[in-house]
Amino acid sequence: MVNINDQVKKLQSYYSPRIIAEVNNEYVKIAKIKGDKVPWHIHENEDELFYILKGSLVMELESQPCFEMNKGDLFVVPKGLNHKVSSDKECTILLIESKTTLHTGNVISGITKSINNQKNGIKSINQKTRKFNL
């Protein structure tokens, strides 16, 4: 069992997703966003789910009007759609992404994190019960 609120308290920096669980071929991640450092990027083969835990997030999608997401809002960015996110104030998000999803797509920037870096908080996973030791 994972307590999301406890895991959010452990987030030490912005733009650094932390894997807190896995479901089939998907990772469940949490992250804090503040500012506009996320570059425009595409996930060619994977959808990306955003759920706002705290604060608000501006979602920008190529060739579409941007919109604001607030606590409790959920949105799925379809695969192949160029997008970016930002937030004026601190925003905490939960993400569900395929294990193959690269943090910032094929764009490498100063905030790009590898999957291994996102797993840093995980000591082990009990493969039978799928419980994470964090």
Side-chain angles (χ1 to χ4, degrees), residues 6 10 12 45 47 51-52 62 64 94 108 111 114 122 132:
D6 289 345
K10 294 179 182 180
Q12 297 179 4
N45 301 305
D47 296 333
Y51 178 74
I52 309 305
E62 187 172 45
Q64 297 181 31
L94 181 137
I108 304 298
I111 66 157
S114 69
I122 298 175
F132 285 67

Side-chain angles (χ1 to χ4, degrees), residues 2-47:
V2 175
N3 183 289
I4 293 174
N5 293 325
D6 289 345
Q7 294 307 307
V8 167
K9 290 175 189 173
K10 294 179 182 180
L11 291 174
Q12 297 179 4
S13 57
Y14 298 119
Y15 309 108
S16 295
R18 178 184 174 100
I19 297 169
I20 60 169
E22 64 180 88
V23 179
N24 301 316
N25 288 323
E26 313 297 320
Y27 283 129
V28 179
K29 304 176 182 183
I30 54 172
K32 287 184 182 179
I33 304 289
K34 184 177 179 183
D36 63 353
K37 291 185 179 181
V38 176
W40 282 98
H41 64 282
I42 296 174
H43 305 289
E44 291 290 344
N45 301 305
E46 304 99 355
D47 296 333

Side-chain angles (χ1 to χ4, degrees), residues 58-114:
V58 175
M59 176 66 68
E60 296 181 65
L61 307 169
E62 187 172 45
S63 302
Q64 297 181 31
C66 65
F67 58 92
E68 185 173 279
M69 297 177 64
N70 296 295
K71 181 179 177 179
D73 289 342
L74 181 145
F75 181 74
V76 176
V77 177
K79 63 184 169 191
L81 185 59
N82 199 20
H83 64 285
K84 70 177 284 190
V85 297
S86 62
S87 183
D88 288 337
K89 297 180 180 175
E90 183 174 282
C91 177
T92 307
I93 59 176
L94 181 137
L95 302 157
I96 299 178
E97 301 176 329
S98 298
K99 291 181 180 180
T100 56
T101 302
L102 300 175
H103 181 215
T104 53
N106 290 328
V107 176
I108 304 298
S109 77
I111 66 157
T112 302
K113 305 292 184 286
S114 69

